[in-house]
Structure formats: structure tokens, C-alpha cells
């Protein structure tokens, strides 16, 4: 129990620290940030429930006003902005990433983590982000999705990096890989 708590808080801190990497603003108002890599890693390493819990800790901290999002943003206002779909989408993204890694036991852990990160951290996250852009910016589905396309190359790199980092953790600290308990 104590170990799980520590790892959840550690990954929440990782997601928050990745918000310090300077974001790259795009025309949609949603910045490219390193934080989605932390979300992918939380799911891939901690598994679906603990990974989603780490994200929930970050979302609560954001709602309380701590400026831990990319660009030093925080507070309830971010839940009314164009990033709301992506921010709320972190939770199912981490869950799906962890679930894929957990279920694809027959695959090499790095490949399973990269696939999980692509499915959870890109497909699921973009679906949520697109819905947020539609709601906040009043865009149609295709137009909102087109606003997300510039993120794809960077997120593919993040998914591959999440796979590599997860494989490295599995190699050197296999007991820390909670998505694939021994």
C-alpha cells in the first residue's frame, strides 16, 4: 500500500515536472508539452488504475490552483479553456495505456508500452481533446480534429520514448513495473 502510494505520487510529480519544459504554442491554443509523455509513462509503468490515479492527483492539484501545467497554468480556468479535453483526457489515456501493457503480456514490454502509449496517449487523448476543442471553440468534428494533427509527430516520438523507458525500467528495476506484476 505504501509503495503504491509512493509510486502514484512520484508519477504525479513527474507529470508536473514535465510541465516545466517550455511549451510550444500552436494556433489552436493548445500547446505542445512534454506532460503527455508523463501520462503515457504513468499508465505503462504503474498499470491502468495506479496510472490513472497519478493523473487524477495532478488534475486535483491543477484544480486547486497550483501552476503545474505547461506554461505555468493552473486553477479552475484551465477547465474552461481549449485544453480541457486534453487535460481531462489524460485520465482515460493513462488507463488505456496501462491496460494495453497489462493485456499484451506476450509482447516485449517496450513494444507493448509503445503500442499502449500510442493507443491511450494518442488515439484516446486526441478523441477527448477533439471533443474539448469542439465544445470550447465551437468547431465541427473535422475542423477540431485538424487542429490536433500538428501534435501527431511529437506524440509518436513520445510514445516510442515511453516504450523505450518502460523497457529500460523493466530491465533494471523489474519490480517497479507494476503494469506487469511478476
Amino acid at each position: 500500500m505504501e509503495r503504491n502510494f509512493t509510486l502514484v505520487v512520484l508519477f504525479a510529480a513527474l507529470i508536473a515536472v514535465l510541465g516545466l519544459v517550455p511549451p510550444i504554442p500552436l494556433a489552436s491554443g493548445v500547446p505542445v508539452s512534454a506532460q503527455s509523455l508523463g501520462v503515457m509513462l504513468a499508465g505503462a509503468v504503474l498499470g491502468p488504475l495506479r496510472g490513472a490515479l497519478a493523473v487524477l492527483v495532478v488534475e486535483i492539484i491543477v484544480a486547486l490552483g497550483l501552476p503545474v501545467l505547461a506554461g505555468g497554468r493552473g486553477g479552475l480556468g484551465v477547465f474552461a479553456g481549449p485544453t480541457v479535453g486534453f487535460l481531462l483526457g489524460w485520465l482515460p489515456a493513462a488507463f488505456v495505456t496501462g491496460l494495453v501493457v497489462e493485456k499484451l503480456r506476450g509482447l516485449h514490454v517496450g513494444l507493448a508500452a509503445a503500442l499502449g502509449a500510442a493507443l491511450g496517449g494518442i488515439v484516446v487523448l486526441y478523441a477527448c481533446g477533439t471533443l474539448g476543442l469542439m465544445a470550447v471553440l465551437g468547431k465541427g468534428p473535422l475542423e477540431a480534429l485538424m487542429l490536433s494533427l500538428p501534435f501527431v509527430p511529437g506524440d509518436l516520438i513520445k510514445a516510442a520514448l515511453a516504450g523505450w523507458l518502460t523497457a529500460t525500467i523493466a530491465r533494471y528495476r523489474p519490480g517497479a513495473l507494476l503494469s506487469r506484476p511478476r
Side-chain angles (χ1 to χ4, degrees):
M1 183 70 146
E2 182 178 316
R3 180 172 181 253
N4 288 336
F5 174 79
T6 302
L7 288 170
V8 165
V9 172
L10 178 67
F11 273 83
L14 173 67
I15 295 167
V17 167
L18 286 172
L20 297 174
V21 176
I24 301 166
L26 295 180
S28 65
V30 180
V32 174
S33 81
Q35 286 183 297
S36 58
L37 172 60
V39 171
M40 293 174 186
L41 282 170
V45 174
L46 299 180
L49 295 176
R50 292 178 199 94
L53 189 56
V55 169
L56 182 61
V57 168
V58 175
E59 290 177 344
I60 290 170
I61 289 170
V62 168
L64 291 174
L66 274 74
V68 297
L69 294 179
R73 296 170 308 120
L76 294 176
V78 298
F79 292 94
T83 60
V84 66
F86 291 97
L87 179 58
L88 295 177
W90 283 358
L91 202 138
F95 184 87
V96 169
T97 299
L99 190 64
V100 169
V101 175
E102 196 175 81
K103 297 297 182 191
L104 293 182
R105 290 185 188 276
L107 278 178
H108 179 273
V109 68
L111 181 57
L115 289 172
L119 183 61
I122 298 175
V123 175
V124 170
L125 186 58
Y126 280 43
C128 296
T130 299
L131 290 172
L133 290 170
M134 290 169 57
V136 174
L137 300 179
K139 304 287 184 188
L142 186 58
E143 191 177 10
L145 184 59
M146 295 303 285
L147 288 171
S148 299
L149 288 183
F151 296 96
V152 173
D155 283 338
L156 287 171
I157 291 168
K158 290 180 217 174
L161 187 56
W164 178 76
L165 289 168
T166 303
T168 302
I169 291 168
R171 171 184 264 165
Y172 294 107
R173 300 280 302 180
L177 195 65
L178 301 182
S179 61
R180 286 194 171 181
R182 294 194 264 170

